[in-house]
Amino acid sequence: AKRSRQEKVKEKPPPRRRPLMSKPVDDVYLTWLYRRPCYQLEQAVGMLKTFQELDFTHPKQFVYINVFLDMALQKKKKVDPFSSSVTLPHRFTDEVNKVLVFTENEQEAEVAREHGAAIVGGVELIKWILEDEIQADFYVAVPAIMPKLIPLRNKLRRKYPTTRRNSLGSDIPKMLQFFRECHEYTVEDESIIKTRIARLDMPTEHIIANLKTIIHDICTFKPSNFDPIVRKLVIRSSTSEGLLLDLDGILPQVEEVEEKEEENAADEDQQKPAQESVGT
């Protein structure tokens, strides 16, 4: 009898859900009956500023974005979670990152201190870092000391100095300027980036410029011949609801440029035989 009941339950088709309606007519409505509205970037920033005025909240609150990513490449392949640092065109905080410089050259150490390094030293720092007595936001090093820093590879992981992250090199002032002022973001839960990008009292064009800078940097972690890595983008302030953004005009137009170049190359190939025939 139990088996027959279970079979009857399995045979029942799933309940049909009503198709979501596009726009509500009234000011008060059930949100789950309607599609989530999608806004243009400039319109959304203007709405956040309006929310702040209506709610009498702090005008200098932070603006955040939640970036939902498509990490898949091909079958059984995907983009690994990553972190990155980028220089924003418009700084929104006076906070300065704590940077540690590895060098055993006294002249380089003096240059590092003059340009704002929080900690400067050589192999004597390894013990203190392994025991968590010394911590920093970023670690940079000169090439000469790298063979001695191998014990820190597993400890520092993504923060281990490398040329790919521009944290390994001989130009100490340049590295310090970047890492003391850069903005860092990290992929959480394998496919989401949550980070602040500006303050709400900043001009709208500054907020938009900072957002596009971060999004363009995120898109570099997936090859251009694949679909865009950004699947959904939500913007909000510290006290407001999240607003879903229209991605048109935000994502970099790499593929279209490549297609135009291919078309131009094809046109040139077609024109060459015609020019040759005229010359003959």
Side-chain angles (χ1 to χ4, degrees):
K2 288 182 180 179
R3 288 179 181 175
S4 61
R5 290 175 185 173
Q6 292 175 356
E7 290 176 356
K8 288 181 180 179
V9 171
K10 291 180 180 179
E11 290 176 358
K12 289 183 179 180
R16 293 183 60 187
R17 290 192 62 182
R18 294 177 56 184
L20 296 178
M21 294 176 281
S22 58
K23 292 183 179 181
V25 179
D26 301 321
D27 295 336
V28 180
Y29 58 92
L30 297 173
T31 56
W32 57 271
L33 286 177
Y34 296 87
R35 297 190 189 98
R36 187 173 183 179
C38 189
Y39 303 97
Q40 296 293 326
L41 178 53
E42 188 172 353
Q43 179 188 10
V45 175
M47 291 175 65
L48 295 182
K49 291 179 177 289
T50 303
F51 294 159
Q52 179 273 318
E53 295 174 357
L54 295 175
D55 296 338
F56 296 99
T57 53
H58 199 277
K60 293 186 178 182
Q61 58 188 289
F62 288 116
V63 178
Y64 297 83
I65 56 172
N66 293 352
V67 189
F68 299 85
L69 306 177
D70 178 12
M71 306 288 277
L73 286 176
Q74 295 174 346
K75 290 183 178 180
K76 299 182 180 180
K77 289 185 179 181
K78 63 179 183 178
V79 179
D80 295 326
F82 56 86
S83 63
S84 180
S85 302
V86 62
T87 301
L88 297 179
H90 306 284
R91 284 178 56 80
F92 59 90
T93 178
D94 295 330
E95 299 174 3
V96 177
N97 298 317
K98 185 178 179 181
V99 184
L100 184 149
V101 178
F102 288 108
T103 180
E104 292 182 319
N105 185 296
E106 188 57 36
Q107 293 180 350
E108 292 177 340
E110 187 62 29
V111 170
R113 294 188 189 97
E114 291 176 356
H115 286 81
I119 304 171
V120 183
V123 293
E124 71 276 4
L125 299 178
I126 295 177
K127 176 184 176 182
W128 303 110
I129 295 173
L130 292 174
E131 295 178 357
D132 293 327
E133 295 291 336
I134 293 178
Q135 293 181 349
D137 298 316
F138 297 98
Y139 301 81
V140 302
V142 295
I145 199 174
M146 284 306 296
K148 300 178 182 179
L149 300 182
I150 294 177
L152 292 175
R153 184 184 293 273
N154 293 331
K155 177 68 176 179
L156 299 182
R157 296 185 180 180
R158 292 177 180 174
K159 294 186 178 182
Y160 188 77
T162 61
T163 53
R164 185 172 62 86
R165 295 181 180 274
N166 299 318
S167 55
L168 173 62
S170 301
D171 194 343
I172 294 177
K174 182 179 179 180
M175 292 190 295
L176 281 172
Q177 182 181 3
F178 174 77
F179 285 105
R180 290 181 78 242
E181 300 179 357
C182 70
H183 178 77
E184 185 180 27
Y185 63 86
T186 305
V187 175
E188 304 174 11
D189 301 326
E190 297 187 351
S191 62
I192 302 175
I193 295 175
K194 300 177 182 179
T195 184
R196 59 187 186 181
I197 62 169
R199 288 190 183 274
L200 195 55
D201 63 331
M202 293 172 58
T204 299
E205 57 270 19
H206 291 185
I207 299 175
I208 292 175
N210 283 359
L211 182 146
K212 288 186 175 181
T213 299
I214 294 176
I215 295 300
H216 286 208
D217 188 69
I218 292 172
C219 290
T220 60
F221 286 88
K222 194 170 185 180
S224 59
N225 54 335
F226 290 91
D227 293 333
I229 190 172
V230 178
R231 182 170 53 87
K232 188 169 68 172
L233 178 59
V234 176
I235 188 172
R236 65 176 180 85
S237 67
S238 301
T239 59
S240 75
E241 62 178 291
L243 302 176
L244 182 64
L245 295 178
D246 185 355
L247 295 178
D248 290 342
I250 298 178
L251 300 182
Q253 303 296 327
V254 177
E255 295 181 358
E256 293 184 2
V257 172
E258 291 179 353
E259 291 177 358
K260 288 181 180 179
E261 290 179 353
E262 291 177 358
E263 291 177 358
N264 292 337
D267 293 339
E268 290 178 359
D269 293 339
Q270 291 177 358
Q271 291 174 1
K272 284 181 181 179
Q275 293 174 355
E276 291 175 357
S277 61
V278 170
T280 53

